[in-house]
Each structure stands twice: as C-alpha cells, then as structure tokens.
Amino acid sequence: MTAEAVAIETVRRRRSAFRFAAAPLTWIGAALIALIIVAALLAPWIAPYDPLEQSIADRLMPPSAEHLLGTDSFGRDVLSRLIHAARISLAVGVLSIALAMVAGCAIGITAGWIGGWFDSLVMGALDVLMSFPSLLLGLMVVAMLGPSLEHLVLAIAITELAPFARVARAPTLALKERDFIEAGRALGLSELRIIVVHVVPNLLGDVVVVASLWLATAIRTEASLSFIGLGVKPPTPTWGGMLREGFETILDAPWLSVAPSLAILATVLALNMIGDGLRDAVDPRLRRD
Amino acid sequence: MLGFLLRRIALAIPTLLAVMTAVFVLARVVPGDPAQVILGDQATAEALAALRQRLGVDRPLPAQYVDFLSGILRGDLGTSMVTGKSVWAEVLAVLPYTIELTLAAILLGILFGVPLGVLAATRHNRLPDALTRVLSLAGLSFPAFVSAVLLLLVFAIELRWFPVISNPRSGDLLERLQHLALPALNLGLIMTAYITRVTRSSVLGVLGEDYIRTARAKGIGRRAVLWRHALRNALIPVATVIGLYLGTMIGNSVLTEIVFNRPGLGKLILGALNQRDYTLLQGLMVIFAGFIVLANVATDLAYGLIDPRVRAR
C-alpha cells in the first residue's frame, strides 16, 4: 500500500466512524449487550434466589409470580441461574478471545515481520488449523484434556487463533516496507520496540473488528460444548449446560429449554449486530453511500 | 484445466500430511495414560499393560507415528475399542444419513439463499434489503442446537407435525422425508442465512462494475443483465462459501443429530466421547479433516470451472 493509499484509507475510516452512528442495528446490539453485561455484573444482587439452592418440593414448576421462569428438575430458580450463567458465558468468551487475539497477533506479526520460508511455514500451519471444524477441534481438545473452565478457554482460543494471525500478518507485510519503519531502524530502535510502538497500533483497528466478530462465535462454541457435556462442570450454571438439562425434560417442562435458548440467541445476535456494523464501517467496499 | 487440477492436488498433499500429523499430536496430548483413563483408578498393572499393548501406546512415539501414517495410506484407521468393528465400518454404517442431511440442507440453502440475496441487492437500502439483513443475521446467530431445540418444541411437540425422533431408517419415501424435514430445515436455515448474505454483497459488488453499465448502455434489459451477466460472476464467492461452510456444517450437523436423536457421524462422535473410544475418535478426526481438505480442493476446482482467470494463475 502506498503512502497515499494509506492516507486515503485513514480518511475513509474517520468518515466511516460517523456512519457507525447512523447504523441502528449496531446500536440495538450494543444496548442489548450492555444490558446483558450489567445483569452479569450485578448477578448476586439482582438474582431473586441462590442459583445453586435446591428445593425438591418445588421441582419442575412452570413460570409463576414466585419463580418468573419456573424451576428446574432440582427445584432451582431458572431466572437466577440464567443471570448467573451470563457471567460464565461472557467470561469464557472474552477470555478465550483475548487469548486468541494476543497469541494470534504475536504469531501473525512475527510471520509477517520475518517473512520468507518462516512466513510460509507458519501460514501453512494455520491453514492446517483452519481445516479442522472449530467445534470438532474444540471438542477434541476438551475431550483430551478433560472438561474444566481453563481447558474450555484454551480449546476455544486454539480454534480462533488463525483469523487473528491472518489479520495481523497482512498489514505487517505492508508496514515493514514503509519509510517510517526504516527511520526507526536508523534511529537505533530495537526491532521489538518498532513492532510494539509502530506496527501494533496500525493494525489494532482491524484486530478489534475481528475480535468483535469472533466473540459471538466463541460464546456459541462455549454453549455448544456445554450442551454436548464438555463445558464447565455442574452445578455451576452455564447457558449451554442449562439447555442440556432442560432438553432432558423437554416433554414435561419445555420452559427449561426456552429460557437459555433465548439468552444464547440474544447474546450472539447482539454481538453479531455490533460486529456487522463495525465491519461495514471499516470495509470501504461495503459502505452504503 | 488438467494442469490446474494436478497443481491443486499436488498442493493438497503436504496439507493432508500436516493435518494427519496434527491429529496424531492431538490424540497423544492426552494428559497421562489413555489406558488409565479408559480402565479407571482401580485397574491392575497387568490390565493396564495389556491395554497399552492393544492400543499400541507402549511403543516409542516415532514408531507409533509411522504406524499411524502407514495405516492411513493403506486405508486402515484401526478398530473401535468398544465394538471391535473397524472404524471404516462404523463410519460407513451411518455416513449415508449424514450425507442425506447435509445435501438437503445445502439444497435448501441455495434454493432460498440465492433468490433472497439477489432480492436484497436489487432493492438495496429499501425495506426488502433491511428485512433480509436482519433475518439473515438472526439466522447466523442461532447456534445449531438452539434452533434445533426451538424447532423441535414448536413443530414436533406443540404442533405435532413432525416426529420428535428423526429415524431415517423408517419405511417409505414420504415417511423418510417427514423424518428428514426438521433436521434439514434446521441446518438449511443457517445455510440460507450464509448464502443470502454472500449473494447480497457479491451481487451488489458486481452491479457496480463497468461491464454491467456497458451492457445496460447497449440496451439489454435489467432482468437479462442481472441473470445472465451479473449473477454468473456474483456466484463465484457463493460457491466458495458453500465449500468453506462445509466445516461449520459438520459441527452443526453433530449438534442437530444429537437434538433429533438421528443416527449419523454426530451421534457416532458423541458415543465415542462418552465411551472414551480413542481409536474411533482419532479415526473420525482423520476422516473429517481429510474431508475438509478435499472439500477445499473441490472448491478451488469449482472456482476454476466458473472463472477462467483462476485457472491461468
């Protein structure tokens, strides 16, 4: 990319930031996510009951004034479990994306910076990683390591490493040829300093967009693995785990399946709305003029 | 075309080798001893040693690796530790059901996705476009098991239009279709959402090209330009997306098969996981990964068929 092209790109991005404000879907998504995050943060104060408290006398009660979303097969309050589960789902999603982002960017920048056969080797390895279906890869990793919160985060991070590496590598290749990098070298800056101070800020925008797009996938993968039974161990509530439990009694207590389904759907949809808006805002080809 | 074909296949060989190596590494990353995991803490030392020998994990890693690769080359993926049948026999017994489901979903996706995408692109920034955008985004957001559970609740449990358990082995064609309908609809909805979005953005891009303007200037009707000139170019990315989506589709079909209790590769994986059938799991992983690499090659070939410029590269 020439200096002019980069300058034009920067102007485009500034202009597109205003379009972001004009995209209603993005704002609906942002509001929805804000609501879910607040609920997760305030869970101990706003949940009407203890999410782990069992009451066999009250098991499988349909929604009522006392239990707004009913109770599950252990007599636990579904609404309270749903609110507490938001904490785990969001935490696993954010942690795994953060891990994938840091590791992926480090791999991508290193590959792009060193170039040559090393670059080809790393990119080839990432292609291999991408040829595994992400759910199956996550499933294999958790199955081999054993289900736990840490392994879940690790497994999801591994499945989502490659997109970050790719997004970080491409601009690195272009940036390392630029004059200001050469100027940095002439000034005697170390390679690491040049990368951290001059390369990383230039690709942060793209990386954040990828993160927002893949956060939805991370939360979906967490829910899917929990649904299969490879998630956080019970009785800790997670949306996927709740749906799994609800599915076992779907004929007697359908409300147990509906509540976590809608929670997962709302979160993923809201994140996709935000990611979509961000992508439209930074992708000049998708701009609506 | 033949040169392109050969080049693409030659490129796939190192990828396949690397993928198989990755499966081997993953299957051997097991913390501790697979024999211990299978037999539990109470197992005697003799039983453990015997099982280790049976699994072949008592030999040095390089020897195991060579065995593993030569097995794959001979088409031998080992035998299931639980049933004692060969992995291929286990897979082939249920593969037709998964293929049936996947093909039905792709068909539904193309049938609804392409027209919806074209509609959105030609009514750009108007109501149909906005509606399609929201609906396709919602479709993409559904984790496959969530939509499956909701479809099951509404159409099988409340309305009773379709059976709760999808049994593809049942009687005549009509009955089979009835059993296929909900699972296929579930996968097809997600597929439709993907194809709608790609078709929309692709047609939008092509409609802005100079040759479309030229065709319009020559007096060719709007419809003819769209269907004969624009769509042919616009469908290239769509073909790629279908190819790329196969990986996601496998994951989604696993979840769909679990919810509808339908036999297939998904149920096979789940069974292997629950019974700690490592050899079956490893074999399934090899088959899935190999299938994805081949699907990528097929996608590239389809690309070459649609677009002559790709062949020249």
Side-chain angles (χ1 to χ4, degrees):
Chain A
M1 207 185 275
T2 64
E4 288 83 353
V6 171
I8 292 167
E9 184 68 10
T10 315
V11 174
R12 272 188 181 157
R13 283 183 191 198
R14 290 224 179 98
R15 216 191 285 153
S16 65
F18 294 104
R19 272 187 10 84
F20 186 43
L25 271 188
T26 314
W27 288 101
I28 297 173
L32 205 54
I33 273 299
L35 200 71
I36 295 168
I37 292 174
V38 168
L41 288 176
L42 299 180
W45 295 279
I46 59 171
Y49 295 90
D50 178 345
L52 302 180
E53 193 188 286
Q54 301 186 6
S55 166
I56 295 304
D58 297 329
R59 62 189 295 271
L60 295 181
M61 295 227 299
S64 63
E66 206 178 332
H67 297 281
L68 287 177
L69 294 178
T71 61
D72 67 7
S73 51
F74 292 97
R76 297 173 298 199
D77 181 57
V78 173
L79 178 62
S80 306
R81 286 180 69 72
L82 204 65
I83 296 173
H84 277 270
R87 298 187 135 197
I88 306 282
S89 295
L90 291 180
V92 170
V94 171
L95 282 176
S96 52
I97 281 296
L99 192 62
M101 188 162 86
V102 172
C105 287
I107 294 172
I109 293 173
T110 315
W113 193 257
I114 295 177
W117 65 268
F118 181 76
D119 184 32
S120 310
L121 189 76
V122 171
M123 284 299 121
L126 288 177
D127 280 344
V128 170
L129 196 63
M130 283 177 90
S131 43
F132 289 95
S134 63
L135 180 66
L136 289 187
L137 184 61
L139 193 143
M140 274 295 267
V141 174
V142 182
M144 294 301 176
L145 296 176
S148 76
L149 191 69
E150 297 83 18
H151 295 159
L152 201 59
V153 170
L154 184 68
I156 298 171
I158 291 175
T159 63
E160 302 194 345
L161 205 73
F164 287 101
R166 284 172 168 273
V167 164
R169 172 184 168 265
T172 307
L173 282 175
L175 283 167
K176 73 172 177 180
E177 308 295 338
R178 298 275 304 280
D179 291 341
F180 69 84
I181 299 290
E182 200 51 48
R185 281 214 186 92
L187 283 171
L189 301 181
S190 73
E191 299 278 307
L192 187 67
R193 191 185 155 90
I194 294 177
I195 289 177
V196 172
V197 178
H198 298 285
V199 175
V200 171
N202 272 300
L203 45 86
L204 221 50
D206 290 341
V207 169
V208 168
V209 173
V210 172
S212 72
L213 284 170
W214 285 89
L215 183 57
T217 310
I219 288 181
R220 204 167 47 188
T221 309
E222 185 273 327
S224 305
L225 288 173
S226 298
F227 180 72
I228 294 175
L230 291 173
V232 181
K233 283 196 180 122
T236 309
T238 63
W239 289 333
M242 287 175 72
L243 186 47
R244 173 190 165 82
E245 287 165 14
F247 184 61
E248 282 163 14
T249 51
I250 194 165
L251 290 174
D252 305 319
W255 62 89
L256 290 182
S257 304
V258 174
S261 292
L262 295 181
I264 298 168
L265 183 63
T267 310
V268 179
L269 182 61
L271 285 171
N272 276 340
M273 283 173 170
I274 299 174
D276 226 35
L278 278 175
R279 189 181 41 194
D280 280 8
V282 296
D283 188 343
R285 286 172 306 146
L286 292 173
R287 280 188 312 147
R288 290 180 288 171
D289 288 322
Chain B
M1 189 67 202
L2 188 71
F4 173 70
L5 185 91
L6 291 177
R7 249 195 335 264
R8 194 59 195 78
I9 291 174
L11 268 178
I13 292 172
T15 314
L16 266 176
L17 186 70
V19 168
M20 297 313 152
T21 310
V23 173
F24 178 81
V25 170
L26 203 57
R28 295 290 181 275
V29 173
V30 195
D33 178 2
Q36 187 88 61
V37 175
I38 295 161
L39 294 178
D41 296 334
Q42 310 292 321
T44 60
E46 293 81 45
L48 285 174
L51 184 60
R52 269 186 221 119
Q53 199 187 4
R54 218 187 104 200
L55 292 174
V57 292
D58 57 338
R59 312 200 309 121
L61 272 180
Q64 288 184 43
Y65 179 62
V66 171
D67 277 359
F68 172 72
L69 281 187
S70 67
I72 291 174
L73 277 180
R74 280 181 279 116
D76 174 15
L77 293 178
T79 51
S80 157
M81 279 161 37
V82 176
T83 62
K85 284 192 221 158
S86 82
V87 170
W88 273 118
E90 293 277 357
V91 168
L92 290 177
V94 294
L95 191 63
Y97 306 126
T98 299
I99 291 181
E100 183 181 85
L101 178 63
T102 315
L103 283 183
I106 292 178
L107 203 67
L108 281 177
I110 296 173
L111 219 58
F112 293 110
V114 172
L116 276 176
V118 172
L119 180 81
T122 49
R123 310 274 191 290
H124 187 39
N125 281 345
R126 298 218 298 260
L127 188 66
D129 186 27
L131 273 180
T132 316
R133 274 175 72 111
V134 175
L135 284 179
S136 62
L137 200 60
L140 282 190
S141 303
F142 265 112
F145 64 99
V146 171
S147 48
V149 167
L150 292 179
L151 282 176
L152 192 75
L153 265 176
V154 175
F155 293 105
I157 294 176
E158 286 301 319
L159 297 172
R160 294 174 188 270
W161 289 355
F162 298 101
V164 174
I165 291 174
S166 167
N167 177 12
R169 297 187 181 98
S170 56
D172 57 24
L173 185 69
L174 196 69
E175 211 173 315
R176 277 184 75 149
L177 281 178
Q178 214 184 5
H179 280 270
L180 179 65
L182 275 188
L185 188 64
N186 183 47
L187 280 183
L189 280 178
I190 305 173
M191 192 81 203
T192 304
Y194 266 95
I195 294 183
T196 304
R197 281 167 68 91
V198 182
T199 308
R200 174 185 173 273
S201 76
S202 175
V203 170
L204 269 183
V206 169
L207 285 179
E209 298 272 342
D210 286 342
Y211 77 88
I212 296 293
R213 204 169 303 133
T214 309
R216 290 283 295 144
K218 277 164 66 185
I220 302 174
R222 205 171 264 283
R223 235 166 236 275
V225 167
L226 178 67
W227 294 104
R228 208 174 309 147
H229 299 271
L231 210 54
R232 191 172 162 159
N233 268 325
L235 284 185
I236 297 174
V238 178
T240 323
V241 160
I242 296 175
L244 288 178
Y245 184 68
L246 279 174
T248 315
M249 178 91 112
I250 289 175
N252 284 341
S253 66
V254 170
L255 294 166
T256 305
E257 284 169 1
I258 293 171
V259 172
F260 291 100
N261 205 2
R262 189 185 152 86
L265 291 178
K267 291 270 288 178
L268 199 62
I269 290 185
L270 195 69
L273 265 178
N274 289 339
Q275 295 169 318
R276 300 191 179 281
D277 193 341
Y278 280 97
T279 45
L280 182 56
L281 212 52
Q282 179 179 300
L284 282 170
M285 212 58 191
V286 169
I287 291 173
F288 277 134
F291 173 72
I292 302 266
V293 172
L294 292 181
N296 285 343
V297 174
T299 309
D300 278 4
L301 293 182
Y303 226 67
L305 274 179
I306 305 174
D307 188 348
R309 284 169 302 179
V310 177
R311 263 174 279 166
R313 254 188 267 144

